[in-house]
Amino acid sequence: MMVLVETASAVFIVIGGVFLFVGSFGLAKLPDTMRRLHGPTKATTLGIGSLLIASILFFALVQQSVGIHEILITLFLFLTAPVSANMVAKAHIFRNQGVKETLPPDAGGSGWATLTAQTESNEAVAPRSGVNNS
Amino acid sequence: MIAAASTFALTAIAASLLLNIYRLIAGPDATDRILALDTMVINAIGLIVLAGIVFGTTIYFEAALLFAMVGFVSTVAFCKFLLRGNVIE
């Protein structure tokens, strides 16, 4: 049992290292910013999840106790990596306005990374007092 | 066995950090540099977790959790600055 858990932990460590390297290699090699987003946001997240699974197995073997820290780190990283990717993509579309012509139409009608929403629906709303409606 | 796997993974993470530093220097736009910094933060979290496995102590996990939170907040703050011109409006 000890040998089995140790082997599984070593295999997960190797998988995590490989996928962390694959994500960073894609970040360094791919030609475009929107293509470069795919490496760190998918492969690197998979690699860090595999390393944290290996850590859970190893400390369950050594100290006979499953800590909550690894699960917390995994939850936090898996929740925040898509948000970071979305923010970087929005900033890239905003800084390069030529990208907008190549994008498919969005659902909301407000554009992909615009700063102003549709103004036709807001005309019936009375302007609030004390707010500079510029 | 875990020692050999940890050596391999440490080498892989070191190579990943070098590639991220290359992208951080050569990135043609600010968003590439933000992405490189975010990836460096995730690689550093992996390095901290591996150090905890190698030294056999759980004292580093609070550091990894704090690093994850600070890295996410800094990435969002950079992107917010590029989008809006300031961070806290």
Side-chain angles (χ1 to χ4, degrees):
Chain A
M1 188 64 195
M2 295 277 282
V3 177
L4 189 67
V5 174
E6 190 174 349
T7 307
S9 178
V11 166
F12 275 120
I13 287 172
V14 169
I15 290 172
V18 165
F19 273 103
L20 283 172
F21 179 73
V22 163
S24 296
F25 186 73
L27 175 70
K29 183 162 170 53
L30 289 172
D32 190 17
T33 304
M34 297 300 256
R35 290 181 187 132
R36 276 180 214 130
L37 266 171
H38 292 279
T41 53
K42 297 181 185 64
T44 309
T45 311
L46 179 62
I48 198 78
S50 177
L51 271 182
L52 287 163
I53 288 171
S55 176
I56 290 173
L57 289 176
F58 181 73
F59 285 111
L61 170 74
V62 170
Q63 299 190 351
Q64 315 293 333
S65 66
V66 176
I68 202 70
H69 294 98
E70 297 97 340
I71 300 169
L72 269 178
I73 295 168
T74 309
L75 188 70
F76 193 82
L77 278 174
F78 279 37
L79 280 178
T80 56
V83 180
S84 301
N86 191 14
M87 293 290 283
V88 171
K90 280 173 77 173
H92 177 253
I93 294 170
F94 176 67
R95 285 172 66 88
N96 300 291
Q97 297 291 324
V99 177
K100 284 187 182 180
E101 282 80 22
T102 67
L103 290 174
D106 60 320
S110 63
W112 284 97
T114 55
L115 300 182
T116 58
Q118 287 288 89
T119 55
E120 289 91 341
S121 60
N122 296 330
E123 288 178 356
V125 179
R128 289 168 294 172
S129 62
V131 177
N132 186 10
N133 286 315
S134 58
Chain B
M1 188 181 295
I2 285 188
S6 301
T7 307
F8 171 77
L10 285 174
T11 312
I13 291 175
S16 304
L17 284 169
L18 285 176
L19 289 172
N20 292 332
I21 288 171
Y22 161 70
R23 179 53 64 197
L24 189 69
I25 293 170
D29 199 7
T31 50
D32 295 319
R33 296 188 169 96
I34 291 170
L35 197 57
L37 270 178
D38 191 27
T39 317
M40 278 177 83
V41 165
I42 296 178
N43 281 322
I45 293 166
L47 205 59
I48 290 170
V49 171
L50 261 182
I53 290 176
V54 168
F55 295 135
T57 175
T58 60
I59 204 167
Y60 296 114
F61 285 127
E62 283 89 1
L65 190 59
L66 205 62
F67 216 62
M69 289 183 182
V70 172
F72 169 67
V73 169
S74 67
T75 304
V76 170
F78 275 131
C79 291
K80 189 87 176 168
F81 178 73
L82 288 184
L83 279 170
R84 302 286 297 186
N86 52 5
V87 178
I88 300 171
E89 304 182 36

